[in-house]
Amino acid sequence: MNLAVIQLLVLAGVAIFLILRLRSVLGTREGFEKPQAPLPGPSRSTESSRRDFEVIEGGVDRDIADHVDEGEAADALARMKTVEPGFSVGEFLHGARGAYEMILMAFERGDLESVAPFLDEDVLESFSDVVKMRAENGVTVEASFIGVRETTLKRASFDPVVGEAEITVRFVGEITSVVRDAAGDIVEGDPNAVKRQRDVWTFARQMGTGDPNWKLVATGE
């Protein structure tokens, strides 16, 4: 076996390891049969544009009912609104879509500085470890964001003692991506193939503090 073949096998092994590590922090990807048109990216709402949702006593809050069924999550969202009457579930999900694209692409590019304020310390450390491993092994990722097909609120919780709210969202996004070795050769992926990226992310923040920014505190599938 000549040296060139040995080097190729080593690079392939490194790429497989990095792909498995990437999936452990950012979910799974599957092939998709037909590319979709890019979806417009959401913008973050300002205080002046935020609608006040007043929960009518004895009535149904459509802002909650349109996104979750009755139960623990709905109760938690209602308690969040008690602390912050201006909080909107719909606007939160709108902003979460934008955060998903921003954070996902920052991770793919290996540039986490711009999104660090929106990441919990543990999540930032986990993402940084993967980015560091890529750099050490001369592996790069080229990715393009196509759009988000699905944004679903899965769980919500609220601790009234400390005022901490957590909302878990399932995203199904579409991206194109390839992994290249140090020589620039593709070792995984296809730049022309649109893949579905499935992620379950949990966001958290302190309600009633005046700080509107949510942080990503957990990732998974």
Side-chain angles (χ1 to χ4, degrees):
M1 186 177 294
N2 61 39
L3 181 59
V5 174
I6 294 175
Q7 290 177 334
L8 180 61
L9 290 175
V10 170
L11 287 172
V14 170
I16 292 172
F17 173 76
L18 288 171
I19 291 164
L20 292 175
R21 182 63 191 274
L22 183 149
R23 287 175 177 169
S24 73
V25 296
L26 279 183
T28 59
R29 294 174 183 171
E30 296 179 1
F32 182 51
E33 66 280 2
K34 183 180 179 181
Q36 300 292 314
L39 300 179
S43 59
R44 295 179 58 194
S45 301
T46 62
E47 289 294 329
S48 61
S49 65
R50 185 176 298 160
R51 290 182 295 166
D52 289 333
F53 286 82
E54 297 295 337
V55 180
I56 301 175
E57 186 173 353
V60 176
D61 184 347
R62 298 309 312 177
D63 181 51
I64 295 176
D66 287 346
H67 300 290
V68 293
D69 295 328
E70 292 184 12
E72 183 178 342
D75 292 343
L77 294 170
R79 290 195 295 272
M80 293 178 200
K81 289 193 171 204
T82 299
V83 176
E84 288 188 12
F87 170 65
S88 163
V89 180
E91 288 189 359
F92 164 81
L93 292 174
H94 187 73
R97 287 169 66 102
Y100 177 65
E101 176 182 354
M102 179 177 64
I103 295 171
L104 178 62
M105 297 314 295
F107 173 80
E108 297 284 12
R109 292 191 301 267
D111 178 18
L112 298 176
E113 184 176 355
S114 62
V115 298
F118 306 106
L119 304 178
D120 176 75
E121 290 184 4
D122 290 341
V123 174
L124 178 59
E125 182 179 358
S126 179
F127 283 12
S128 297
D129 286 345
V130 177
V131 171
K132 183 179 179 181
M133 277 191 296
R134 289 182 195 156
E136 290 175 347
N137 291 282
V139 175
T140 59
V141 177
E142 296 177 0
S144 296
F145 192 83
I146 306 302
V148 179
R149 291 182 61 89
E150 179 185 327
T151 306
T152 306
L153 198 158
K154 301 293 292 183
R155 294 182 296 276
S157 63
F158 181 68
D159 185 343
V161 177
V162 296
E164 183 174 81
E166 287 194 357
I167 301 179
T168 300
V169 183
R170 180 177 186 266
F171 299 99
V172 178
E174 292 177 356
I175 67 173
T176 62
S177 69
V178 294
V179 179
R180 295 183 183 273
D181 61 19
D185 297 323
I186 296 177
V187 295
E188 197 270 340
D190 180 344
N192 299 313
V194 178
K195 295 181 179 294
R196 287 185 182 174
Q197 170 83 20
R198 289 176 168 82
D199 292 288
V200 177
W201 287 6
T202 299
F203 299 89
R205 81 174 178 91
Q206 298 293 120
M207 305 290 285
T209 62
D211 182 1
N213 293 322
W214 294 78
K215 284 192 174 185
L216 177 62
V217 298
T219 64
E221 298 179 23

